[in-house]
Amino acid sequence: MAGKTKTVYVCSSCGYDAPKWLGKCPGCGEWNTMVEEKIVVTKSTNKGTSLRTIKPVRLSEIEVRDEVRIKMPSEELNRVLGGGLVEGSLTLIGGEPGIGKSTLLLQNILSIRGRRILYVSGEESATQLKLRADRLGKVADNTFILCETRLENIFSQIEKVEPEILVVDSIQTIATDNIESASGSVAQVRECAAALLRYAKESGVPVILVGHINKEGAIAGPKVLEHIVDTVLQFEGDRQFLYRILRSVKNRFGSTSEIGIYEMVQRGLKEVKNPSEMLMSQNRDQEMSGVSIGVTVEGIRPIMVEVQALVSSAAYGTPQRSVTGFDQRRLNMLLAVLEKRARFKLGQKDVFLNIAGGLKVSDPALDMSVTAAIMSSNFDVAIPLRTAFVGEVGLSGEIRPVVRIEQRVAEAAKLGFDTIFVPRDNIKEGINLKSASTTKIIEVGKIEEVFRKLFT
C-alpha cells in the first residue's frame, strides 16, 4: 500500500530537515544548503511497543571482549584500521575520483583467501571490474561481483550469497524504493547507510562503503553519514604524484593519527615500507640552498621530510606567499618571527615553500626545518648534508620542546644523518638518546642560535 508523499527540505551539510526552505540551516549555520526532498511516509504496523525489552545493566557487570579482526593483505591498511577489519563494523573510505579507492579495495579483497566476499558496484560494469582484476594480476573464486544500485535487490542477493565481507562502491549510487528521490541525495544516502549499518550489526559481517568527496574535500552527503559509520578513512594524494596517503579521520576501534603510504604503479598500489626515503630527494650528494630535512611524526611513525624554500625579490611590488603541504598561516607567523627576532628583512621578498613528495604536514616540530630552509635560500648558502632539524618555534623566537624526540632522533640516525638540531628543553628533561650515539646532537634554545651555528 502506497504511503503519503510529503516534501521536506534537508541540509546537504548536516542532514537537518525542515518543512519549508530556509536560507540558513539552523543545525550547522551554513547558507544555501537546504535542498528539496520528497519522502514517502508509510503507516507502521507497530503501535509503538517494542517486542524486546532491554534492561539496563551495571557498568561493572559488562564483560569486555576483544574485537574479532580480519587481517587484510595490506599491512598499511591494517595499521590505519588499528590492526584489521573489525567484524560487524561499518567502514567508509572517501577520496577524489580516480585517486585509487576501488583499486585499493579490489586489490585487497582479491588477495583474501578462505572468505566469501560480495563486491557491489554501482559505477562500473562486471566487465570493467574483470579487466581491472586482470591488470592487478589477481583472480579469486571466492569473490562475487554484483552490479546493482537498488538496495532491495542487493539485500536479496546478500541472502543468497551469505558473504563474510561486503563492499559497496559507492554509497552515493545506491537508492531504496522507500524514498522517492534520486540516488545520491541526502535522504537516500542517509537511509541506505542506516540500512547497511543495521545489517552489519545484526549479522556481524563487516561492510565497507566507498564515498565521494565534495569540492571542499569533505565526504559528500550529510554529515550524519560520518556519525553512522564506525571508521572513516580518507584516501589522499595528487594524481600528478605517484604516492597516495591513507589517513584515518575517525576510528572507534583504533587510533585516528595513523597513516598508510602507497605508491601507484602499473599493477596497482604498492606499499611504501620506508616513507622517509620516499619523501627526500634521491640526489642528496650535492648541497643545495633552500633545502632542509625535518622529522615529523604521523601516529607512532617518525617520517623524515624534505622542506624546500625559495626566497627572491618581489618582482611585481606585492610580495607573494605560496605554500604547498604546509599551513599558510603558520608560515606567515614564522616569517614574522624571523623578521622580528632574527632581523631578517623578508617583508619585500617572495617566499615559496614546498613539502616534497606531496605530503601535507601539520606537525609544529617542523618549524625549525622551515625556518632553516628559508634562511638558507635567503643567503643562498646550502645547509650541510646529513643535517636534520626538530623543534617548534614560538612567537618570542624560542625553540620549544616536542614530543617523541627519541623516535625522531633514532629515525635520523638510522638513515645516516650525523647532525641533528633539537630543542634544549628536550635535553634538560633527561631524554634518553642512546640510539643516536653516532649522531651529533646540537641543542638550541633560540632561533638566533640556529642561524649562528648554521651560517657563521
Side-chain angles (χ1 to χ4, degrees):
M1 180 178 179
K4 181 180 179 181
T5 302
K6 71 173 185 177
T7 300
V8 296
Y9 293 87
V10 184
C11 175
S12 59
S13 178
C14 67
Y16 181 89
D17 59 82
K20 62 179 182 178
W21 186 86
L22 300 171
K24 181 179 180 181
C25 173
C28 62
E30 296 289 336
W31 288 88
N32 299 323
T33 57
M34 306 296 288
V35 294
E36 182 181 357
E37 299 283 355
K38 294 185 181 297
I39 299 178
V40 178
V41 181
T42 58
K43 293 184 178 180
S44 175
T45 56
N46 191 355
K47 298 302 182 180
T49 60
S50 176
L51 300 178
R52 184 181 63 175
T53 303
I54 301 177
K55 298 181 179 179
V57 296
R58 292 186 179 91
L59 184 63
S60 58
E61 296 176 354
I62 299 176
E63 296 182 4
V64 179
R65 300 177 182 177
D66 294 335
E67 297 92 357
V68 180
R69 294 181 181 268
I70 300 174
K71 291 291 184 180
M72 305 299 286
S74 172
E75 290 300 326
E76 295 292 301
L77 181 58
N78 285 329
R79 177 188 289 110
V80 177
L81 288 172
L85 193 63
V86 178
E87 292 189 357
S89 64
L90 186 62
T91 303
L92 176 64
I93 299 180
E96 295 180 355
I99 203 69
K101 304 182 298 296
S102 301
T103 301
L104 174 66
L105 289 176
L106 199 61
Q107 185 172 306
N108 273 271
I109 65 173
L110 291 178
S111 300
I112 297 176
R113 298 290 183 265
R115 290 186 181 273
R116 197 162 45 254
I117 302 169
L118 179 60
Y119 189 99
V120 179
S121 176
E123 298 179 343
E124 296 180 285
S125 65
T127 304
Q128 290 174 314
L129 292 172
K130 173 62 176 176
L131 292 174
R132 178 177 295 183
D134 292 340
R135 189 180 76 248
L136 296 174
K138 299 179 181 296
V139 178
D141 295 333
N142 59 332
T143 301
F144 296 86
I145 302 297
L146 175 63
C147 299
E148 180 61 65
T149 58
R150 185 170 175 267
L151 185 65
E152 286 73 17
N153 292 342
I154 293 174
F155 277 118
S156 65
Q157 296 300 321
I158 286 175
E159 294 179 357
K160 298 177 182 179
V161 177
E162 296 182 354
E164 296 173 81
I165 298 177
L166 175 64
V167 179
V168 178
D169 183 9
S170 67
I171 186 62
Q172 278 85 10
T173 62
I174 308 302
T176 176
D177 294 340
N178 296 331
I179 298 176
E180 290 185 357
S181 60
S183 59
S185 62
V186 176
Q188 287 285 6
V189 170
R190 181 170 51 187
E191 184 66 24
C192 293
L196 291 169
L197 175 67
R198 288 192 296 268
Y199 165 74
K201 299 305 178 184
E202 293 173 0
S203 64
V205 175
V207 178
I208 303 176
L209 307 179
V210 176
H212 300 305
I213 64 172
N214 53 29
K215 60 182 180 180
E216 287 82 17
I219 295 176
K223 199 68 177 176
V224 70
L225 180 61
E226 297 185 25
H227 298 309
I228 289 175
V229 301
D230 298 308
T231 306
V232 179
L233 305 181
Q234 194 86 6
F235 207 38
E236 305 172 353
D238 192 336
R239 279 181 286 182
Q240 305 302 322
F241 292 93
L242 296 177
Y243 303 109
R244 305 287 188 267
I245 297 174
L246 184 65
R247 193 183 304 272
S248 176
V249 180
K250 170 189 175 182
N251 194 350
R252 290 175 178 165
F253 309 108
S255 173
T256 58
S257 56
E258 293 291 348
I259 67 168
I261 301 179
Y262 295 88
E263 179 183 1
M264 181 64 76
V265 295
Q266 185 176 2
R267 296 178 65 87
L269 292 165
K270 176 184 176 183
E271 297 182 24
V272 176
K273 300 296 183 182
N274 193 344
S276 295
E277 294 181 350
M278 174 203 77
L279 295 171
M280 294 188 297
S281 295
Q282 300 299 321
N283 186 13
R284 295 294 298 162
D285 297 331
Q286 58 182 2
E287 295 182 346
M288 296 176 290
S289 63
V291 176
S292 68
I293 303 298
V295 189
T296 183
V297 172
E298 293 285 351
I300 60 174
R301 171 193 283 184
I303 301 175
M304 304 200 69
V305 297
E306 180 177 308
V307 180
Q308 301 172 346
L310 177 62
V311 180
S312 62
S313 299
Y316 303 103
T318 303
Q320 300 182 60
R321 302 288 187 261
S322 179
V323 181
T324 303
F326 195 72
D327 188 4
Q328 173 85 47
R329 292 171 296 181
R330 193 159 191 88
L331 173 64
N332 294 334
M333 183 204 77
L334 294 175
L335 293 176
V337 170
L338 284 175
E339 186 150 353
K340 179 74 174 179
R341 306 299 177 186
R343 307 303 182 197
F344 272 66
K345 301 302 180 182
L346 300 172
Q348 298 302 318
K349 294 188 177 182
D350 295 335
V351 179
F352 303 92
L353 187 71
N354 175 51
I355 305 298
L359 185 69
K360 296 180 181 178
V361 181
S362 59
D363 187 2
L366 211 64
D367 288 353
M368 197 197 305
S369 180
V370 170
T371 55
I374 293 172
M375 290 187 289
S376 172
S377 178
N378 185 60
F379 291 108
D380 199 18
V381 177
I383 296 173
L385 292 175
R386 294 185 294 278
T387 300
F389 301 87
V390 177
E392 178 185 354
V393 178
L395 287 177
S396 61
E398 81 278 12
I399 306 298
R400 300 175 57 84
V402 299
V403 298
R404 298 186 181 274
I405 187 66
E406 301 100 329
Q407 290 90 334
R408 298 174 194 263
V409 174
E411 180 72 10
K414 184 179 71 175
L415 293 178
F417 284 78
D418 50 25
T419 305
I420 182 168
F421 285 72
V422 299
R424 181 172 290 118
D425 289 341
N426 273 126
I427 305 300
K428 288 181 179 179
E429 295 173 358
I431 301 299
N432 183 14
L433 299 178
K434 292 181 180 180
S435 60
S437 57
T438 60
T439 303
K440 181 181 179 182
I441 307 295
I442 298 180
E443 308 168 27
V444 288
K446 289 282 187 179
I447 193 65
E448 303 94 310
E449 295 181 44
V450 181
F451 169 72
R452 289 197 303 268
K453 293 183 178 180
L454 272 178
F455 305 111
T456 58

